Amino acid sequence: MKKLSLTTSIWLCTLCICAQPEDVTKKYIENPDFEARFAAWINPGKFTYNIANTFEGKNERVWMEKWVSRGSKLGTNTGMYQTLYHLPDGTYTLVAAAKNVNQVNSSEICTGAYLYAGQEQTAINAPGDYSVTFTVANGKANVGIRLKDCTGNWVCIDNLRLYYNGVNADSLSTEQARIETERQTLREKVESAAPTSLTVSTFEFIPTGNTIALGRSTISGTCKEKGFCWSTKPNPTIFDESTTETLEGTSIYVMRGLTPATPYYMRAYAMTSGGYVAYGEERKIVTLPEGVMTWSYDDAALKDTKYTEQQAIDANARIKSASAECVWMYNQLSYIPGFHLSVHFNRGAGAGDGTADCSYGGWMRVSQNTPYQQTGTMLHETNHGVGVGTTWEWNNNANLRSNVSRGKWLGPMATKMVRFINNNNTSLMDGDKSHMWPYGINGAHEDTYQPSNVSLYFYNILITHALHQDGVPCTSSVGFASPAYLFEQRDTIKYYLKNSQFTDGYLYGSKLTVKYQEATKDEVLANDGYAWYVRYDAKKRYYYFQNAATGKMLTYNSGFKVTTADTPTFAELFHVLPARIDSQLGSEDIPLTKTAYWLLHPNKYSSPALTATAKAITESKYDASNEATAQQWFILTADELETLTTSIEEAPKATESTHSTDIYDLQGRKVNTASPRHGIYIVNGRKVVK
């Protein structure tokens, strides 16, 4: 396609395809004018944002550039792009303002910069609007800018626009044939490939947001390609959705374009040059509902009398764009209902001569100092707004932090998150009364605002959301925790709920009631009254339990009962909250390490917990302590139940042994330095079979 001059209407290039092209920019391109900085854009080329008036084609304030010194050449073979999803089949035209110039010689026609979309591209040189027309036949396309042996020293882009031109039968048929040929070629290669010793393992924990999930893998053997694949059905392959993208500077894979509130099955893969594909273990995740955090800014920098007019305009642009990028990321990686970030310019706000601050609930003040008008600062202060350093659970809850107000965080979800990020099974999160580390972005010096900081930004939000899952209240309307998919269940599997304190007891459902009942494992497996289907409501973020024998659901109505219901109402929804200490169950020959769970009916700060007594089921107010084992339940499959001894109480009693083995809990704390070879020992008040 040819370059369009700034004075030429874009309709000249689109009318040749369709008389009435439809502007679908807002529907399919996120952040098309970069006013939220890098939000939604993947940036391997390390483009940087600018707010100056030096790009003729800029729209609003923020635009993107890549620059080297005058007289040099960019030369790089990379770029910046966004994947568009859920596109109807048909032909589209992408338009953007761009330039590729040599600042030493403005008359030179520079080469090597391209606006691209799908399989098509058009060269960029002198400042102007550029367009590229492309065809979609599989619902998605990459759009953006790429550089290949670029001869200019300065490339800029802004103001992307997307137009749907309708269906051109010939173009669509050609694109469909191209896609099918590529798939068939790959399929034949994979099917004919000779097996090798290549093996893949999928990291057990998959950090999950609304539209994005992250994964790690371990690979043994030589491969040409590695990544993750996923589907809404079990056993995903590379012929479903897949990615090889990793977060900048890491080996963490990024799965994008996920649908909020949707179950997915994911696994790592690797492929040899000969086409042999090895897959890791499958993991089930459920994405969070669509993010609902909102924000506003008072534009008060424009009224600051100590700024020059241009300084005020620039400060306003920085604060606005940083706020927009911050909230966009929160809405991709977390779900915080009822939270509005209200941003205000305030000269001197925060510490010293001016930093930034934020109160619980989201009232944020940003000072006049440029280093604090950045996305990292917005993320840090938003953490305070959603409970980090501003709630009792963060500051004074001994169940969640060693040494209470300062020390290691003990919550299982944040611990899992930090260990995933660091790829280290001993990593722990730390903090004081106000801040968390690592990844807290606790000062402008930790945020140089380089494009690679997307990893740091993601980590900050994911850890904060994990803290909410551990018990930090994100908003007063949500209460003590932010529920999510914390127990990996399968809809068709029968589960058995075994109490953690009364270890011979199971949850039993009759036609009239639910009760705690002692039984041997053989009695349990022979009677479906002990069996429960555990299912998850992705939109409401809670679990429900249906008895396999009666079809009745566990419910809470002035006590825990059973009820007949076709679909769960709020009374049948439960928050499944993992304990902070794993327990070792099973026989000596077949050890089994399991997490117990609180089963809570959601009620903000006073959630009733399903509780066992020696002879019955009752309710008690949620007790967050490790010792509240009567409130904690193991959720076991039939296969796991088979590994247990007939009765834990019948296991050999603990005896002293000359063989000493150090025992550690989830946080790496030594809890018993002289464990016996067999029998029962106590870990924080819980009987555990060894």
Side-chain angles (χ1 to χ4, degrees):
M1 296 294 293
K2 67 178 181 179
K3 179 180 80 76
L4 298 176
S5 71
L6 287 173
T7 58
T8 302
S9 169
I10 60 172
W11 304 112
L12 292 180
C13 79
T14 57
L15 281 172
C16 63
I17 297 174
C18 179
Q20 293 182 325
E22 177 187 2
D23 187 339
V24 293
T25 307
K26 292 182 179 179
K27 186 180 292 187
Y28 297 115
I29 303 184
E30 294 190 77
N31 189 28
D33 55 5
F34 305 109
E35 291 307 295
R37 301 192 182 185
F38 296 99
W41 291 93
I42 303 167
N43 187 21
K46 295 182 173 57
F47 278 68
T48 56
Y49 88 98
N50 202 326
I51 58 173
N53 294 320
T54 50
F55 174 37
E56 304 89 330
K58 78 178 184 69
N59 182 54
E60 300 292 338
R61 289 293 306 174
V62 185
W63 46 278
M64 293 293 163
E65 68 175 350
K66 191 164 183 64
W67 181 88
V68 292
S69 59
R70 293 168 181 260
S72 300
K73 298 178 181 181
L74 282 165
T76 184
N77 295 322
T78 186
M80 181 171 65
Y81 68 96
Q82 181 177 153
T83 303
L84 310 186
Y85 298 95
H86 312 299
L87 295 168
D89 287 352
T91 301
Y92 295 79
T93 297
L94 178 72
V95 182
K99 72 177 179 181
N100 171 26
V101 298
N102 179 348
Q103 290 178 288
V104 172
N105 181 4
S106 59
S107 63
E108 178 184 346
I109 303 300
C110 294
T111 61
Y114 305 91
L115 177 71
Y116 77 97
Q119 301 299 305
E120 308 299 332
Q121 67 181 26
T122 189
I124 299 169
N125 39 72
D129 268 4
Y130 291 83
S131 70
V132 57
T133 296
F134 62 106
T135 300
V136 173
N138 63 348
K140 64 180 181 180
N142 287 347
V143 301
I145 187 170
R146 63 164 59 107
L147 308 181
K148 184 176 182 180
D149 301 322
C150 182
T151 61
N153 78 294
W154 189 22
V155 170
C156 308
I157 186 170
D158 195 15
N159 194 21
L160 280 82
R161 289 144 281 168
L162 183 67
Y163 300 90
Y164 180 59
N165 303 314
V167 176
N168 181 304
D170 290 340
S171 297
L172 184 59
S173 177
T174 299
E175 179 64 8
Q176 289 171 336
R178 183 194 67 80
I179 293 172
E180 182 55 33
T181 298
E182 285 187 354
R183 288 177 63 86
Q184 185 60 29
T185 300
L186 178 59
R187 191 177 299 278
E188 291 173 357
K189 183 177 181 180
V190 169
E191 290 176 350
S192 63
T196 73
S197 59
L198 181 67
T199 60
V200 179
S201 178
T202 309
F203 202 91
E204 185 175 3
F205 182 54
I206 304 281
T208 305
N210 322 71
T211 64
I212 295 172
L214 306 179
R216 279 191 180 276
S217 66
T218 301
I219 297 172
S220 176
T222 302
C223 63
K224 180 181 180 181
E225 177 181 308
K226 52 189 176 180
F228 264 72
C229 56
W230 66 94
S231 173
T232 55
K233 297 179 180 179
N235 302 315
T237 73
I238 59 171
F239 297 100
D240 296 302
E241 296 295 327
S242 65
T243 186
T244 59
E245 180 200 349
T246 56
L247 279 179
E248 176 72 26
T250 78
S251 56
I252 295 175
Y253 293 93
V254 189
M255 290 152 274
R256 300 180 187 266
L258 305 178
T259 301
T262 302
Y264 285 97
Y265 301 88
M266 299 179 163
R267 56 181 175 174
Y269 78 90
M271 183 166 59
T272 66
S273 58
Y276 175 71
V277 181
Y279 293 98
E281 302 87 344
E282 179 182 277
R283 308 297 182 199
K284 181 182 177 182
I285 68 160
V286 181
T287 52
L288 297 168
E290 184 175 359
V292 292
M293 182 185 288
T294 57
W295 69 281
S296 61
Y297 171 56
D298 64 2
D299 288 318
L302 297 175
K303 304 173 184 177
D304 186 82
T305 57
K306 294 185 178 180
Y307 272 144
T308 66
E309 181 180 2
Q310 192 59 53
Q311 286 174 333
I313 292 172
D314 291 348
N316 223 51
R318 283 190 295 269
I319 296 171
K320 249 176 141 170
S321 60
S323 300
E325 186 176 32
C326 167
V327 171
W328 181 87
M329 284 190 283
Y330 257 98
N331 281 337
Q332 309 308 307
L333 296 167
S334 70
Y335 180 75
I336 304 180
F339 183 83
H340 177 78
L341 184 65
S342 182
V343 184
H344 306 267
F345 175 83
N346 190 296
R347 182 172 286 274
D353 67 342
T355 54
D357 55 27
C358 188
S359 64
Y360 183 51
W363 185 273
M364 184 188 296
R365 302 187 307 166
V366 183
S367 76
Q368 77 283 0
N369 287 317
T370 299
Y372 294 95
Q373 297 169 353
Q374 303 292 3
T375 302
T377 295
M378 300 299 168
L379 290 168
H380 172 92
E381 297 303 338
T382 301
N383 284 2
H384 294 321
V386 297
V388 178
T390 49
T391 57
W392 178 87
E393 286 78 4
W394 172 267
N395 286 322
N396 297 296
N397 193 331
N399 296 306
L400 293 174
R401 181 162 36 224
S402 62
N403 302 322
V404 187
S405 62
R406 182 183 181 120
K408 303 296 183 184
W409 184 259
L410 307 180
M413 298 312 298
T415 299
K416 284 184 177 182
M417 192 67 72
V418 172
R419 290 179 178 182
F420 171 88
I421 293 168
N422 290 348
N423 199 21
N424 185 330
N425 266 339
T426 64
S427 292
L428 294 170
M429 208 194 77
D430 211 331
D432 58 20
K433 282 204 168 188
S434 299
H435 304 109
M436 68 180 193
W437 53 84
Y439 313 116
I441 320 180
N442 300 312
H445 64 286
E446 294 188 16
D447 179 26
T448 56
Y449 205 74
Q450 297 300 315
S452 59
N453 269 14
V454 66
S455 303
L456 172 63
Y457 297 162
F458 276 24
Y459 300 160
N460 177 274
I461 297 170
L462 288 168
I463 290 174
T464 301
H465 188 68
L467 291 169
H468 295 152
Q469 294 170 354
D470 283 334
V472 173
C474 51
T475 66
S476 58
S477 62
V478 171
F480 82 99
S482 180
Y485 187 69
L486 304 180
F487 167 71
E488 185 178 327
Q489 52 72 237
R490 299 293 170 120
D491 288 353
T492 58
I493 291 179
K494 295 176 183 177
Y495 294 93
Y496 303 86
L497 277 66
K498 184 179 184 66
N499 189 258
S500 182
Q501 177 171 322
F502 300 97
T503 51
D504 288 333
Y506 295 82
L507 189 68
Y508 180 81
S510 70
K511 291 182 179 181
L512 299 177
T513 188
V514 62
K515 55 185 176 180
Y516 162 87
Q517 189 159 296
E518 291 186 356
T520 67
K521 70 175 181 183
D522 292 333
E523 291 171 334
V524 170
L525 291 171
N527 186 342
D528 269 356
Y530 292 101
W532 299 84
Y533 293 109
V534 180
R535 298 191 172 104
Y536 183 73
D537 188 316
K539 295 187 182 300
K540 296 177 181 176
R541 301 167 297 132
Y542 291 109
Y543 292 81
Y544 59 99
F545 298 78
Q546 188 169 30
N547 189 262
T550 66
K552 292 191 173 184
M553 293 186 189
L554 182 66
T555 189
Y556 179 80
N557 183 7
S558 299
F560 290 95
K561 305 172 184 178
V562 290
T563 184
T564 301
D566 293 330
T567 56
T569 66
F570 181 73
E572 286 75 60
L573 297 179
F574 294 89
H575 180 35
V576 174
L577 183 68
R580 290 176 288 280
I581 297 178
D582 282 351
S583 297
Q584 297 177 39
L585 306 172
S587 66
E588 182 183 53
D589 295 330
I590 310 176
L592 176 66
T593 300
K594 291 293 291 183
T595 299
Y597 294 85
W598 282 274
L599 272 58
L600 310 173
H601 182 61
N603 189 24
K604 293 188 180 179
Y605 297 97
S606 57
S607 296
L610 180 68
T611 307
T613 67
K615 297 294 180 182
I617 289 294
T618 186
E619 68 169 286
S620 56
K621 183 179 178 181
Y622 165 62
D623 181 348
S625 67
N626 294 326
E627 292 72 25
T629 51
Q631 294 185 359
Q632 299 171 32
W633 299 81
F634 297 107
I635 306 175
L636 305 172
T637 64
D639 288 344
E640 290 171 333
L641 198 58
E642 286 282 9
T643 69
L644 303 184
T645 55
T646 300
S647 166
I648 288 184
E649 297 300 338
E650 293 175 4
K653 291 185 179 180
T655 57
E656 290 295 325
S657 170
T658 57
H659 176 72
S660 178
T661 303
D662 290 338
I663 305 298
Y664 297 86
D665 66 16
L666 183 64
Q667 279 69 46
R669 300 170 299 190
K670 189 183 292 185
V671 295
N672 190 347
T673 58
S675 70
R677 295 178 189 269
H678 307 287
I680 303 168
Y681 62 91
I682 306 299
V683 177
N684 285 7
R686 176 177 299 152
K687 285 177 285 194
V688 183
V689 175
K690 178 70 174 177

